[in-house]
Amino acid sequence: MKKKVECLIEIFDQEHLNENIGGCLLYHPDTFYILCPTTVDRRKRKGLLDFLSQYSPETKVIVIPVEVSGTDAVREEIRVWMNEVFKNHSEILVEIGGGDPLLNIAVFYNCIVRGIPTISIDYQRGIASNWEDGEEYAGDFEPMDLTLEMIVQLNGGCIEKNMHRIPKEIDYQIILECAVFILKNQKEYMRYSQYLQNCMRKNELHDALAVKTSNAQVVQNNITVYADKKWFFKMEEFGLLKDVCIGEEEISFTYTSPFAKESLLVTGSWLEMYVYIAACLSQEYDEVMESVILDWNGVLGEDFDVKNEIDLLIRKKNTPIFISCKMRKINAVDLNEIKQYAQRFGGDGAKAVIITTNEINQKEMTIKNRAEEMGVIVVDKNDLDLSHS
């Protein structure tokens, strides 16, 4: 199987972006022509060009816009263009399949007339198949694994950073134990976290981690609540707090780290951390990322930049999995949101998953039916395995 070609011609496929990169990564062409209908999504075209510029810098990439208006017209347009290509290159290979069908027919017709070898590439399965006169280029190959950053970039976006602090591997076990305790006592935790948030607002100390305030805190709806000793001492046991002192009038304590402070004050973080650590420890995935910020157009630093956070982004081989974690009931908006992110940044092969700590009962089966029709995987309280302790 020949792994180098002077000139490669590809028909742009905006529905399966991965298929546009296979030939370039496999044959390392000196010149790579991409026949691109004028109607394609410019963002997807830009994502492909940015990807190839970074991961195949030795290749000269040229986009050829094609007006696909009818069989005869497009066949003639391709004939004229291929005349020039034929003059300038001694070795030409064309990949057929995917993209606009009329454009495929026109290209294949002109290849047969000129005796130009044609192949098709299944990048996911690692197979290059001969169509006509392309035997020396056909065969099996080991496809390059695309990282999450590469997949997002190919789809026109980019991964910017993590929104929250990520658990350290050395702390996985204790965080899992704490997460299980919190998720099994979620209502109590929500009240406790709200109490902590009020403590921070009325803290007498000018310290990022140490807190000293009144025992009685006025929370939502002007309700007065007092320090829950069980929760404070339990969090001290888990190593998130230290120096806990609860008196009749005052309370003082210290967060053991910025990570501990953030984890206890951001109420939705524990399900996210639980799933993240469980995925890491399972060793079933090639990449696991938590609290990822995605930039919509792949250009950082712009004014009014459009960005979104994804709770978890996981990859198994070349399949990205977009996960939303909700410590509440889910609704149709939640389903639409995670499905949109998966399609936008992961492409056609991406999976969308939503995990909730609530139970979806019989009265709420509409949401599960909607999710099934949309292709969103739903994991509820009954599906969660809270045994990692």
Side-chain angles (χ1 to χ4, degrees), residues 206-360:
H206 299 289
D207 189 298
L209 298 179
V211 178
K212 182 180 180 181
T213 185
S214 59
N215 190 328
Q217 296 287 323
V218 179
V219 296
Q220 276 185 328
N221 301 321
N222 291 319
I223 298 173
T224 300
V225 295
Y226 296 84
D228 188 325
K229 293 183 179 180
K230 180 189 81 172
W231 275 88
F232 271 97
F233 293 133
K234 195 68 178 176
M235 294 304 105
E236 190 173 40
E237 180 184 323
F238 283 126
L240 298 174
L241 300 178
K242 64 180 181 180
D243 303 328
V244 175
C245 182
I246 303 175
E248 290 294 325
E249 301 293 331
E250 287 189 334
I251 178 173
S252 62
F253 58 92
T254 301
Y255 295 99
T256 54
S257 67
F259 171 81
K261 177 182 176 182
E262 182 179 284
S263 300
L264 289 174
L265 294 178
V266 180
T267 54
S269 64
W270 288 96
L271 177 59
E272 189 177 306
M273 286 194 290
Y274 178 85
V275 177
Y276 171 78
I277 295 173
C280 289
L281 293 179
S282 73
Q283 298 184 332
E284 292 184 8
Y285 304 99
D286 298 293
E287 276 186 280
V288 182
M289 302 177 74
E290 182 192 359
S291 186
V292 179
I293 300 296
L294 297 176
D295 184 283
W296 277 69
N297 68 355
V299 182
L300 300 178
E302 293 181 315
D303 292 335
F304 311 109
D305 225 355
V306 180
K307 302 176 184 179
N308 286 99
E309 180 192 5
I310 302 295
D311 292 333
L312 287 122
L313 192 49
I314 292 175
R315 177 178 64 85
K316 190 174 180 66
K317 294 187 177 179
N318 281 328
T319 301
I321 306 167
F322 291 71
I323 303 176
S324 175
C325 296
K326 303 293 183 185
M327 290 177 66
R328 59 167 174 78
K329 288 185 177 182
I330 60 173
N331 53 45
V333 174
D334 298 323
L335 298 179
N336 292 333
E337 183 179 60
I338 193 62
K339 182 65 176 180
Q340 180 186 23
Y341 294 159
Q343 289 180 329
R344 170 63 178 80
F345 296 106
D348 65 296
K351 295 179 185 282
V353 178
I354 190 163
I355 301 175
T356 173
T357 52
N358 278 74
E359 178 183 355
I360 301 178

Side-chain angles (χ1 to χ4, degrees), residues 28-150:
H28 310 284
D30 298 321
T31 305
F32 184 34
Y33 291 103
I34 304 173
L35 296 172
C36 190
T38 54
T39 55
V40 302
D41 187 330
R42 292 183 180 180
R43 171 187 55 80
K44 292 186 177 182
R45 188 178 72 178
K46 180 182 181 299
L48 173 62
L49 294 177
D50 289 346
F51 180 95
L52 294 175
S53 174
Q54 182 169 347
Y55 297 104
S56 190
E58 74 284 356
T59 297
K60 181 180 181 181
V61 181
I62 303 173
V63 174
I64 306 298
V66 181
E67 184 71 43
V68 184
S69 56
T71 304
D72 293 338
V74 70
R75 188 165 64 184
E76 178 61 17
E77 185 177 355
I78 293 301
R79 185 191 69 79
V80 173
W81 175 74
M82 289 190 77
N83 279 342
E84 295 302 313
V85 175
F86 204 73
K87 292 176 186 176
N88 297 324
H89 299 281
S90 59
E91 181 191 26
I92 302 172
L93 177 65
V94 176
E95 185 189 357
I96 299 292
D100 187 273
L102 284 182
L103 189 50
N104 266 283
I105 293 170
V107 171
F108 188 49
Y109 172 82
N110 280 282
C111 287
I112 292 175
V113 170
R114 291 194 172 275
I116 296 173
T118 55
I119 57 165
S120 66
I121 298 174
D122 185 332
Y123 191 70
Q124 295 283 63
R125 296 169 59 199
I127 300 173
S129 302
N130 172 40
W131 269 44
E132 191 77 24
D133 299 325
E135 293 88 350
E136 63 177 315
Y137 302 98
D140 297 342
F141 63 92
E142 190 67 32
M144 173 183 175
D145 274 351
L146 303 182
T147 66
L148 288 171
E149 287 196 1
M150 293 167 77

Side-chain angles (χ1 to χ4, degrees), residues 346-376:
D348 65 296
K351 295 179 185 282
V353 178
I354 190 163
I355 301 175
T356 173
T357 52
N358 278 74
E359 178 183 355
I360 301 178
N361 56 40
Q362 283 298 116
K363 293 181 180 179
E364 300 167 319
M365 284 306 292
T366 301
I367 199 72
K368 272 203 168 182
N369 293 337
R370 181 189 289 266
E372 186 174 346
E373 290 177 1
M374 293 174 62
V376 177

